[in-house]
Amino acid sequence: MAKLVFNDHAKQFFNFPIRNTIRISFWKGETKPTSPCEITCKEDMILNFENKVHIQFLPDLLKRPVKVPDLFHIGTFPIMIGEVTVVELLATNGSL
């Protein structure tokens, strides 16, 4: 489980509210490597709002293990369109 806040740049990529699963890059800090990820939400995802989401990603592509309360970025590297805060690790295989 994670909290995702889309910033204003996200309007260039998506029409809000987002009702579907999205696939996008996921990275920590200002550097590569990135991991592809799939983001789902039980409710519509809203711009500039703390959305509670579920994220699937490939942890082997990141430099270090993901921990609570790590902060990640989503977007098309290096363009960040949202920030993700890890709330709970659901599995060691890359599920938040």
Side-chain angles (χ1 to χ4, degrees):
M1 185 70 67
K3 295 176 188 174
L4 166 60
V5 178
F6 287 101
N7 63 32
D8 289 331
H9 293 294
K11 290 188 284 189
Q12 297 173 10
F13 293 82
F14 299 106
N15 292 320
F16 285 87
I18 300 172
R19 294 180 172 93
N20 303 324
T21 297
I22 61 171
R23 291 178 182 91
I24 199 156
S25 293
F26 180 79
W27 71 91
K28 176 131 177 90
E30 299 299 323
T31 61
K32 282 196 172 190
T34 66
S35 170
C37 74
E38 182 176 274
I39 301 172
T40 56
C41 188
K42 291 181 180 178
E43 300 175 3
D44 292 349
M45 290 183 267
I46 301 169
L47 187 70
N48 294 316
F49 180 79
E50 195 172 86
N51 300 281
K52 293 180 183 177
V53 298
H54 176 75
I55 301 177
Q56 290 285 122
F57 63 98
L58 301 172
D60 295 344
L61 297 179
L62 302 174
K63 287 184 179 179
R64 65 175 192 77
V66 175
K67 299 177 183 174
V68 175
D70 283 352
L71 179 68
F72 287 87
H73 305 299
I74 63 163
T76 304
F77 188 85
I79 301 167
M80 180 184 69
I81 65 165
E83 289 187 331
V84 174
T85 303
V86 178
V87 175
E88 178 183 2
L89 298 173
L90 302 177
T92 58
N93 64 346
S95 185
L96 303 176

